[in-house]
Amino acid sequence: MKTFEFTRPPDATTAIATAAHAKTAQQSADVRFIAGGTTLVDLMKLNVETPARVLDINRLPLDKIEPTSDGGLKIGATVRNSDLANHPTVRRDYPVLSQALLNGASAQLRNMATTAGNILQRTRCMYFRDTAMPCNKREPGTGCPAITGANRSLAVLGTSEHCIATNPSDMCVAMAALEATIHVQGPKGLRSIAFGDFHLLPGNTPHRETVLEPGDLITHVTLPTPIKGSKQLYLKLRDRASYEFALASAAVVISVVGGSVVRARIALGGVGAKPWRSQEAEAALVGRSADKASFRKAAEAAMRDAKAQSQNGFKIELAKRCLTHALQMAITT
Ligand SMILES: Cc1cc2nc3c(=O)[nH]c(=O)nc-3n(C[C@H](O)[C@H](O)[C@H](O)COP(=O)(O)OP(=O)(O)OC[C@H]3O[C@@H](n4cnc5c(N)ncnc54)[C@H](O)[C@@H]3O)c2cc1C
Ligand code: SF4
């Protein structure tokens, strides 16, 4: 690991002003915030991330879960994943989020990992994590060996000829389905970003993963008012039952009246270059009977634009089955 300066800024304003000196935005920047450290320290040990300055934000007052005035929920950036998963309001009103969090990593990691850190975790693509290999995301312009190499776990939706990395987060899939909003404080002030607009597709700039600018600090995430009477479920399919990333996952929030779907929010994990909200699946569901045939049609719609690489074609059918099954399970809970 390269040497770096470690400081604890006394407040958010100082943290932001210091981080604003970075040449690029947070990811790969030379000045970095650190929260739980479970992504950043890993990547620093591998020399994939080599910040000169690391700013510890754990003492900033960003660790609360509070109701919002409009009936939603405000989740601080440094709230630990385990605290969020086990919060009574989250378990009651946003169970899909609790389930997604509890399906991620391990109990020990969830005790350290934070809301903002989870949103900004980086791909598990093996070439990205190996500095002996080329990788457009780590070193722009060097190439993407995954396209012809080991791509079994990589994305089939939203990829480009420059990068096919999967976004690995479980929590983000639930937040996409819940239509969360990310709140950022930066050198130019405060702004709110719809969850679906926060992560960027790789296109020809795979090193740019989010809309964050140098100095931007995620302060909190808000969830809208819970949808009364909705059924929610997170289903994760993976190579082993715990401590493993998704091959395919689905977060569903569905309302059924008189046997018909009146509202659906669908997001997929493990298959997309970003947490994958599927408005195609939602459109295919609304107004249809809440049965297996409609659910399968919605899953077909969700995966219509999927593009397989040499080893990950199985994910397309896996994701369809995952979503179909998640919807069936949701309406029977
Ligand atoms: C072995 C292992 C297995 C895992 N399995 C899973 C899994 O199955 N599912 C899953 O979803 N995740 C999994 N993870 C990933 C884990 O969820 C993330 O590492 C964790 O959520 C990151 O949170 P953190 O607080 O530790 O982030 P950190 O490592 O502290 O930070 C991550 C990034 O976020 C930036 N950052 C942190 N806070 C802020 C802020 N407030 N504003 C702006 N930038 C900020 C940092 O600069 C850094 O770029 C796994 C991790 C490991 C190591
Ligand atoms: S898929 Fe993306 S992260 Fe993986 S090697 Fe290619 S460019 Fe790098």
Side-chain angles (χ1 to χ4, degrees):
M1 191 191 291
K2 294 211 171 137
T3 54
F4 59 94
E5 184 191 321
F6 181 86
T7 51
R8 289 203 171 96
D11 50 46
T13 311
T14 312
I16 291 161
T18 312
H21 292 297
K23 290 184 206 69
T24 64
Q26 272 291 300
Q27 287 162 327
S28 300
D30 47 340
V31 189
R32 311 300 298 276
F33 301 129
I34 190 164
T38 63
T39 284
L40 186 59
V41 174
D42 254 18
L43 293 175
M44 287 170 68
K45 286 186 199 161
L46 295 169
N47 283 325
V48 171
E49 299 263 22
T50 53
R53 298 183 75 178
V54 174
L55 310 175
D56 181 358
I57 59 167
N58 285 291
R59 291 189 189 171
L60 302 184
L62 303 172
D63 60 348
K64 302 276 183 303
I65 302 174
E66 302 162 304
T68 59
S69 55
D70 62 357
L73 198 67
K74 176 180 176 185
I75 304 160
T78 58
V79 169
R80 306 289 151 179
N81 286 179
S82 35
D83 292 336
L84 184 57
N86 293 309
H87 192 276
T89 307
V90 176
R91 289 168 66 107
R92 186 190 64 215
D93 294 337
Y94 307 98
V96 66
L97 178 58
S98 178
Q99 292 163 20
L101 284 158
L102 294 175
N103 269 283
S106 65
Q108 291 87 345
L109 281 158
R110 293 193 294 270
N111 285 342
M112 288 303 293
T114 62
T115 309
N118 196 319
I119 291 170
L120 292 168
Q121 66 174 285
R122 307 200 70 188
T123 184
R124 310 304 289 194
C125 173
M126 60 181 273
Y127 304 105
F128 172 74
R129 295 170 66 85
D130 181 351
T131 55
M133 299 299 294
C135 167
N136 282 331
K137 186 181 278 300
R138 184 169 28 77
E139 283 181 67
T142 54
C144 175
I147 288 175
T148 50
N151 53 47
R152 178 177 178 273
S153 66
L154 300 186
V156 290
L157 288 165
T159 57
S160 75
E161 60 183 309
H162 302 288
C163 181
I164 57 168
T166 321
N167 182 294
S169 173
D170 291 298
M171 183 194 79
C172 288
V173 184
M175 286 193 171
L178 289 168
E179 300 187 310
T181 302
I182 298 173
H183 301 265
V184 171
Q185 191 176 340
K188 295 179 198 152
L190 303 169
R191 65 193 202 280
S192 303
I193 303 155
F195 203 87
D197 296 334
F198 184 80
H199 294 96
L200 300 174
L201 291 177
N204 54 15
T205 53
H207 56 289
R208 288 204 65 223
E209 294 175 359
T210 71
V211 296
L212 290 184
E213 299 290 343
D216 279 348
L217 175 75
I218 295 178
T219 54
H220 60 282
V221 173
T222 50
L223 301 180
T225 318
I227 303 166
K228 287 220 167 15
S230 68
K231 304 282 191 180
Q232 303 184 13
L233 193 112
Y234 186 72
L235 179 63
K236 176 176 180 179
L237 305 180
R238 47 189 157 173
D239 281 332
R240 58 183 179 198
S242 89
Y243 208 45
E244 184 56 282
F245 292 88
L247 288 169
S249 71
V252 304
V253 180
I254 181 169
S255 306
V256 176
V257 176
S260 293
V261 179
V262 293
R263 188 181 165 125
R265 294 288 175 271
I266 306 291
L268 301 173
V271 287
K274 63 185 242 180
W276 199 261
R277 169 94 180 261
S278 179
Q279 278 159 340
E280 296 83 357
E282 294 168 9
L285 280 171
V286 174
R288 308 281 170 190
S289 350
D291 58 25
K292 189 176 176 186
S294 308
F295 297 163
R296 176 70 197 191
K297 277 192 186 143
E300 299 279 355
M303 301 308 291
R304 193 168 294 136
D305 295 331
K307 183 176 175 209
Q309 307 294 337
S310 56
Q311 299 171 352
N312 66 0
F314 75 98
K315 280 190 169 195
I316 298 175
E317 179 58 24
L318 191 71
K320 289 179 190 174
R321 292 184 190 192
C322 183
L323 177 54
T324 306
H325 198 53
L327 287 163
Q328 285 181 284
M329 288 169 72
I331 61 162
T332 52
T333 52

